[in-house]
């Protein structure tokens, strides 16, 4: 599990899932369309690509139509990005896209070769070949539509379609056949979900270096449990507070398009169970989670990449707060938790909020430039903070989730510096040093600990 | 100069060339369209790509419209080919093309970025974007037509077009937007000449790791001279007997399309003369070479990559020779010099011929299989042979070239094992150990030695 991974309520409910008639994947004999997505670690070298081919072959032999979305070999995209930066710090994103999209092009061709060597009919489809249409925001393009005529024909002919993630094609303002685009880092997850939506796949399996989504970071809480299912909304909240299992954009797209996404490990051996027997975590709509499975809280996330900024003695008058946040929004800085303290005696107030640590310097610069307009007396900041979030769709219908959190942390003497809530999440800001303690006591307080530590 | 490089008559006739009104490049103020082609060594790393950008910028600032054709970074194509072979010894050439074409895609984008950083408007055009149409002989495709509408518009808008060599696009039998093809190793020279022909370029400059075409290998003959001009036909003969300056296919295409090709060094510094002041060797039609420049012999080539095969006591009857060579032709083995000795007393004859050393084993196998049909008594071979060729369009109108060759070699005691001739070439087969001696004495005999050794 990478740093900051998080997640929800466990229940290794294989039996329940397999017997669920509403789940098409439970019928092993029924042909399904699936997308399998493999990341850079899985594509790092021919031996691993051969393992991927073996996994794909099993799905094909089970009677499924399969499209595979691949990342570049681990390290390759960094190498290509490095070339671009070395060539010019102000590189043309259109040319950057030509360069960096080559990484996935290479692995697509190689996986097609490895599949054919394994006796599986396969061919690669570049983004411009399908095509995968995107807007023209080069280097951070968004997928529009995906033409499926060629893809459908290929799948129906029994071929595995191998598709490079992270790339598409935008119309060329100057004529010609369009220009290559990339979706930004981590875009291969989004490619996979978009392809799954376009081809009306029954399932989109994302093979990662973790084996699923957990109730919390297992390195902090050894009794954390892998979740069988999690809703899109929960996953979005978890992703946005530090889970690195899936790219946030891909989860949002999956929710919008109602694509059933499964997170599972790419490192399980060839004798691992088939993907449709649920070795990982399914990310699904709320309606797919039975009442019996539903927990109050599904997971606990932590995020140390926030910084706290406090403006001392801001005049307590209309427009003061806007003067603070408008310039930050204009600079595309994502402000998260905001607290405005009660007014001082002198008609002024303190305003505290958090920003991503990476944006701290730019935030301070922006605020100092606006000092006169805002009228604060002092600007202080603190990077030694952590945000702890409890997430769960179950809390919608249950009061007391927040108060349990405050009571539990207070009993351990953990000071809460800020609070924010959404419909399915309560977050608090605490001192960074207390992160692990807070996660552990909350995991126990919400009844998430595995009964058997070996589970 | 790499091993086996060769070539023609010197005359550093810069003055004559520059004053020649029939040569458009002699007018520095006249806008020209040129293609510049850079090989893998020139593209190996960002520093070198920046040097290439600087060279291109000088041509643009001189008022020229420029298309640049680039190879992959040195070593990159080998890396990608290695991946394909590792994935499967019987790789699908269509997928191989997807993989290996990525190398030139990367350098195209990077050169476009480097040009923009140098203040030059530039954009890359992949083979599928222009497009460069090829047949569907994947991994060894031949260029058909190149659409120039987009390219012309780009050039006329003052952009440098950066085009990856070695790649194109073939129609996709299964629909879609076509499939990537590659032209086979060394195909970037051919791409450059084809682009030059399509855009009606005034000149195609091929930047290489040699600085031109020489009367012979300068490592054997220090007084060898760089040639100012050489005809297509001479270059073809020289290339086919071992010169590695240009890919043979690109010379043939240049001759067919009447593209003026210049070979020049990519390692000359930035203060080197402009390409149109003739630092290299121009490969042109015969009509572009003035009588005063014309020499009897333009160059002397040597080739140690031949093997001699002799069949002893072949029945001297109709059909015997066909029984030898038909199977070799069917196996795509290129037989070169052939000698049939006078018949023995017993109605049989010895047949000697040469094949490329790389094909020797296959040739012997084929001949042994056909032993009964051919009826020879013994099969002997010798790889310690070298072919020495004197080449020059001037020999068409002059007798005595061959006899000078035989006399000169005979005077040094060099035994001639076989002879073959074409309209502009005489080749002899000798013992490999006598290669250097033969080249030196012939270079002197035909008056090719530079008057001043420092020239």
């Amino acid at each position: 599990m990478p740093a900051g991974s998080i997640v929800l309520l466990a229940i290794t409910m294989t039996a329940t899932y397999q017997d669920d008639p509403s789940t098409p994947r439970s019928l092993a004999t029924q042909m399904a369309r699936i997308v399998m997505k493999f990341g850079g670690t899985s594509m790092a070298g021919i031996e691993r690509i051969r393992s991927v081919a073996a996994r794909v072959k099993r799905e094909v032999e089970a009677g499924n139509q399969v499209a595979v979305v691949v990342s570049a070999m681990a390290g390759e995209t960094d190498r290509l990005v490095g070339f671009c930066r070395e060539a010019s710090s102000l590189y043309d994103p259109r040319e950057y896209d030509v360069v960096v999209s080559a990484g996935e092009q290479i692995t697509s061709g190689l996986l097609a070769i490895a599949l054919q060597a394994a006796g599986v009919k396969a061919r690669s489809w570049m983004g411009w070949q399908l095509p995968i249409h995107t807007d023209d925001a080069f280097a951070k393009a968004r997928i529009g539509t995906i033409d499926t005529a060629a893809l459908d024909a290929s799948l129906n002919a029994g071929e595995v379609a191998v598709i490079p993630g992270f790339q598409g094609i935008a119309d060329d303002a100057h004529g010609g056949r369009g220009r290559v685009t990339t979706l930004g880092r981590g875009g291969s997850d989004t490619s996979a979900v978009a392809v799954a939506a376009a081809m009306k796949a029954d399932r989109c399996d994302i093979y990662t270096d973790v084996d699923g989504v957990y109730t919390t970071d297992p390195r902090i809480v050894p009794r954390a449990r892998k979740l069988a299912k999690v809703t899109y909304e929960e996953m979005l909240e978890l992703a946005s507070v530090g889970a690195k299992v899936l790219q946030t954009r891909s989860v949002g797209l999956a929710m919008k398009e109602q694509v059933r996404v499964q997170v599972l490990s790419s490192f399980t051996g060839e004798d691992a169970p088939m993907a449709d027997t649920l070795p990982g975590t399914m990310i699904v709509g709320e309606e797919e989670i039975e009442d019996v499975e539903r927990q109050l809280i599904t997971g606990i996330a932590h995020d140390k990449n926030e910084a706290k900024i406090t403006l001392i003695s801001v005049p307590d008058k209309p427009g003061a707060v806007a003067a603070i946040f408008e310039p930050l929004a204009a600079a595309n800085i994502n402000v998260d938790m905001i607290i405005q303290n009660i007014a001082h005696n002198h008609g002024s107030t303190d305003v505290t909020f958090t920003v991503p640590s990476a944006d701290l310097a730019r935030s301070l610069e922006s605020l100092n430039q606006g000092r006169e307009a805002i009228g604060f007396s002092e600007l202080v900041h603190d990077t030694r903070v952590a945000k702890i979030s409890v997430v769960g769709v179950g809390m919608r219908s249950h009061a007391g989730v927040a108060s349990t959190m405050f009571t539990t942390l207070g009993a351990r003497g953990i000071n809460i510096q800020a609070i924010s809530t959404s419909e399915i999440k309560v977050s608090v800001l605490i001192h960074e040093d207390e992160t692990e303690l807070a996660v552990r006591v909350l995991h126990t307080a919400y009844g998430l600990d595995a009964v058997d530590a070996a589970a």
Side-chain angles (χ1 to χ4, degrees), chain A residues 277-296:
Chain A
T277 59
L278 196 68
T281 299
M282 288 295 307
I283 305 166
V284 294
E286 213 170 318
E287 69 288 353
E288 272 207 50
I289 299 187
E290 310 266 308
D291 284 344
V292 65
E293 307 171 54
R294 197 161 292 160
Q295 301 288 312
L296 185 61

mmCIF file of all heavy atoms in Angstrom, chain A residues 277-296:
data_model
loop_
_atom_site.group_PDB
_atom_site.id
_atom_site.type_symbol
_atom_site.label_atom_id
_atom_site.label_comp_id
_atom_site.label_asym_id
_atom_site.label_seq_id
_atom_site.Cartn_x
_atom_site.Cartn_y
_atom_site.Cartn_z
ATOM 1 N N THR A 277 -14.310 -13.525 -9.360
ATOM 2 C CA THR A 277 -14.616 -14.111 -8.058
ATOM 3 C C THR A 277 -14.153 -13.172 -6.951
ATOM 4 O O THR A 277 -13.912 -13.580 -5.837
ATOM 5 C CB THR A 277 -13.988 -15.496 -7.895
ATOM 6 O OG1 THR A 277 -12.572 -15.354 -8.037
ATOM 7 C CG2 THR A 277 -14.505 -16.444 -8.949
ATOM 8 N N LEU A 278 -14.006 -11.922 -7.296
ATOM 9 C CA LEU A 278 -13.845 -10.853 -6.343
ATOM 10 C C LEU A 278 -12.625 -10.931 -5.432
ATOM 11 O O LEU A 278 -12.753 -11.013 -4.225
ATOM 12 C CB LEU A 278 -15.108 -10.788 -5.462
ATOM 13 C CG LEU A 278 -15.265 -9.500 -4.666
ATOM 14 C CD1 LEU A 278 -15.520 -8.342 -5.586
ATOM 15 C CD2 LEU A 278 -16.355 -9.644 -3.650
ATOM 16 N N PRO A 279 -11.450 -10.899 -5.971
ATOM 17 C CA PRO A 279 -10.286 -10.844 -5.103
ATOM 18 C C PRO A 279 -10.003 -9.406 -4.636
ATOM 19 O O PRO A 279 -9.289 -9.208 -3.671
ATOM 20 C CB PRO A 279 -9.162 -11.331 -5.993
ATOM 21 C CG PRO A 279 -9.584 -10.941 -7.370
ATOM 22 C CD PRO A 279 -11.084 -10.948 -7.390
ATOM 23 N N GLY A 280 -10.565 -8.437 -5.323
ATOM 24 C CA GLY A 280 -10.236 -7.056 -4.999
ATOM 25 C C GLY A 280 -11.416 -6.318 -4.393
ATOM 26 O O GLY A 280 -12.188 -6.899 -3.634
ATOM 27 N N THR A 281 -11.530 -5.057 -4.735
ATOM 28 C CA THR A 281 -12.624 -4.237 -4.226
ATOM 29 C C THR A 281 -13.433 -3.709 -5.405
ATOM 30 O O THR A 281 -12.863 -3.161 -6.347
ATOM 31 C CB THR A 281 -12.075 -3.045 -3.419
ATOM 32 O OG1 THR A 281 -11.334 -3.540 -2.311
ATOM 33 C CG2 THR A 281 -13.211 -2.147 -2.936
ATOM 34 N N MET A 282 -14.750 -3.887 -5.339
ATOM 35 C CA MET A 282 -15.617 -3.356 -6.388
ATOM 36 C C MET A 282 -16.056 -1.937 -6.011
ATOM 37 O O MET A 282 -16.471 -1.700 -4.877
ATOM 38 C CB MET A 282 -16.879 -4.219 -6.547
ATOM 39 C CG MET A 282 -16.686 -5.587 -7.198
ATOM 40 S SD MET A 282 -16.143 -5.538 -8.922
ATOM 41 C CE MET A 282 -17.368 -4.453 -9.649
ATOM 42 N N ILE A 283 -15.967 -1.049 -6.989
ATOM 43 C CA ILE A 283 -16.475 0.302 -6.788
ATOM 44 C C ILE A 283 -17.752 0.403 -7.620
ATOM 45 O O ILE A 283 -17.714 0.253 -8.844
ATOM 46 C CB ILE A 283 -15.439 1.347 -7.232
ATOM 47 C CG1 ILE A 283 -14.126 1.088 -6.485
ATOM 48 C CG2 ILE A 283 -15.944 2.766 -6.956
ATOM 49 C CD1 ILE A 283 -12.952 1.819 -7.064
ATOM 50 N N VAL A 284 -18.847 0.596 -6.929
ATOM 51 C CA VAL A 284 -20.155 0.442 -7.580
ATOM 52 C C VAL A 284 -21.116 1.526 -7.120
ATOM 53 O O VAL A 284 -20.815 2.319 -6.232
ATOM 54 C CB VAL A 284 -20.755 -0.939 -7.240
ATOM 55 C CG1 VAL A 284 -19.927 -2.071 -7.829
ATOM 56 C CG2 VAL A 284 -20.886 -1.107 -5.729
ATOM 57 N N GLY A 285 -22.290 1.535 -7.726
ATOM 58 C CA GLY A 285 -23.350 2.431 -7.280
ATOM 59 C C GLY A 285 -23.896 1.979 -5.939
ATOM 60 O O GLY A 285 -23.806 0.795 -5.579
ATOM 61 N N GLU A 286 -24.491 2.930 -5.216
ATOM 62 C CA GLU A 286 -24.973 2.625 -3.865
ATOM 63 C C GLU A 286 -26.007 1.500 -3.883
ATOM 64 O O GLU A 286 -26.083 0.695 -2.963
ATOM 65 C CB GLU A 286 -25.594 3.892 -3.280
ATOM 66 C CG GLU A 286 -25.423 4.018 -1.789
ATOM 67 C CD GLU A 286 -25.844 5.395 -1.321
ATOM 68 O OE1 GLU A 286 -25.519 6.404 -1.978
ATOM 69 O OE2 GLU A 286 -26.520 5.450 -0.292
ATOM 70 N N GLU A 287 -26.799 1.449 -4.974
ATOM 71 C CA GLU A 287 -27.867 0.462 -5.045
ATOM 72 C C GLU A 287 -27.322 -0.962 -5.118
ATOM 73 O O GLU A 287 -28.048 -1.921 -4.870
ATOM 74 C CB GLU A 287 -28.768 0.754 -6.247
ATOM 75 C CG GLU A 287 -28.133 0.518 -7.624
ATOM 76 C CD GLU A 287 -27.078 1.570 -8.000
ATOM 77 O OE1 GLU A 287 -26.918 2.559 -7.261
ATOM 78 O OE2 GLU A 287 -26.402 1.388 -9.039
ATOM 79 N N GLU A 288 -26.050 -1.113 -5.462
ATOM 80 C CA GLU A 288 -25.471 -2.456 -5.556
ATOM 81 C C GLU A 288 -25.011 -2.974 -4.201
ATOM 82 O O GLU A 288 -24.566 -4.124 -4.086
ATOM 83 C CB GLU A 288 -24.285 -2.457 -6.524
ATOM 84 C CG GLU A 288 -24.682 -2.715 -7.957
ATOM 85 C CD GLU A 288 -23.530 -3.350 -8.744
ATOM 86 O OE1 GLU A 288 -22.946 -4.333 -8.285
ATOM 87 O OE2 GLU A 288 -23.235 -2.825 -9.833
ATOM 88 N N ILE A 289 -25.035 -2.105 -3.201
ATOM 89 C CA ILE A 289 -24.588 -2.553 -1.881
ATOM 90 C C ILE A 289 -25.816 -2.891 -1.035
ATOM 91 O O ILE A 289 -26.659 -2.043 -0.795
ATOM 92 C CB ILE A 289 -23.702 -1.485 -1.210
ATOM 93 C CG1 ILE A 289 -22.460 -1.252 -2.089
ATOM 94 C CG2 ILE A 289 -23.319 -1.924 0.198
ATOM 95 C CD1 ILE A 289 -21.420 -0.368 -1.490
ATOM 96 N N GLU A 290 -25.900 -4.137 -0.650
ATOM 97 C CA GLU A 290 -27.055 -4.621 0.109
ATOM 98 C C GLU A 290 -27.064 -3.977 1.495
ATOM 99 O O GLU A 290 -26.021 -3.671 2.053
ATOM 100 C CB GLU A 290 -26.947 -6.136 0.285
ATOM 101 C CG GLU A 290 -26.674 -6.891 -0.989
ATOM 102 C CD GLU A 290 -27.943 -7.390 -1.634
ATOM 103 O OE1 GLU A 290 -28.721 -8.040 -0.928
ATOM 104 O OE2 GLU A 290 -28.158 -7.095 -2.826
ATOM 105 N N ASP A 291 -28.232 -3.890 2.055
ATOM 106 C CA ASP A 291 -28.341 -3.325 3.396
ATOM 107 C C ASP A 291 -27.461 -4.067 4.393
ATOM 108 O O ASP A 291 -26.832 -3.468 5.253
ATOM 109 C CB ASP A 291 -29.803 -3.372 3.882
ATOM 110 C CG ASP A 291 -30.631 -2.294 3.205
ATOM 111 O OD1 ASP A 291 -30.024 -1.365 2.633
ATOM 112 O OD2 ASP A 291 -31.868 -2.397 3.228
ATOM 113 N N VAL A 292 -27.415 -5.379 4.218
ATOM 114 C CA VAL A 292 -26.694 -6.181 5.191
ATOM 115 C C VAL A 292 -25.199 -5.860 5.168
ATOM 116 O O VAL A 292 -24.481 -6.037 6.132
ATOM 117 C CB VAL A 292 -26.951 -7.683 4.943
ATOM 118 C CG1 VAL A 292 -26.376 -8.097 3.604
ATOM 119 C CG2 VAL A 292 -26.365 -8.526 6.063
ATOM 120 N N GLU A 293 -24.737 -5.397 4.026
ATOM 121 C CA GLU A 293 -23.312 -5.079 3.903
ATOM 122 C C GLU A 293 -22.992 -3.688 4.416
ATOM 123 O O GLU A 293 -21.844 -3.334 4.607
ATOM 124 C CB GLU A 293 -22.878 -5.113 2.432
ATOM 125 C CG GLU A 293 -23.221 -6.366 1.678
ATOM 126 C CD GLU A 293 -22.938 -6.178 0.193
ATOM 127 O OE1 GLU A 293 -21.799 -5.798 -0.139
ATOM 128 O OE2 GLU A 293 -23.851 -6.355 -0.634
ATOM 129 N N ARG A 294 -24.003 -2.879 4.502
ATOM 130 C CA ARG A 294 -23.759 -1.459 4.725
ATOM 131 C C ARG A 294 -23.298 -1.164 6.149
ATOM 132 O O ARG A 294 -23.886 -1.623 7.111
ATOM 133 C CB ARG A 294 -25.034 -0.670 4.392
ATOM 134 C CG ARG A 294 -24.785 0.801 4.188
ATOM 135 C CD ARG A 294 -25.913 1.443 3.423
ATOM 136 N NE ARG A 294 -25.962 0.970 2.040
ATOM 137 C CZ ARG A 294 -27.039 1.058 1.266
ATOM 138 N NH1 ARG A 294 -28.145 1.561 1.740
ATOM 139 N NH2 ARG A 294 -26.995 0.616 0.037
ATOM 140 N N GLN A 295 -22.276 -0.410 6.258
ATOM 141 C CA GLN A 295 -21.748 -0.007 7.546
ATOM 142 C C GLN A 295 -21.941 1.494 7.711
ATOM 143 O O GLN A 295 -22.096 2.232 6.735
ATOM 144 C CB GLN A 295 -20.257 -0.328 7.613
ATOM 145 C CG GLN A 295 -19.942 -1.798 7.405
ATOM 146 C CD GLN A 295 -20.344 -2.641 8.588
ATOM 147 O OE1 GLN A 295 -20.039 -2.309 9.728
ATOM 148 N NE2 GLN A 295 -21.059 -3.732 8.332
ATOM 149 N N LEU A 296 -21.874 1.920 8.962
ATOM 150 C CA LEU A 296 -21.974 3.347 9.241
ATOM 151 C C LEU A 296 -20.805 4.091 8.591
ATOM 152 O O LEU A 296 -20.987 5.063 7.874
ATOM 153 C CB LEU A 296 -21.951 3.528 10.760
ATOM 154 C CG LEU A 296 -22.152 4.935 11.287
ATOM 155 C CD1 LEU A 296 -23.509 5.473 10.857
ATOM 156 C CD2 LEU A 296 -22.030 4.933 12.806
#
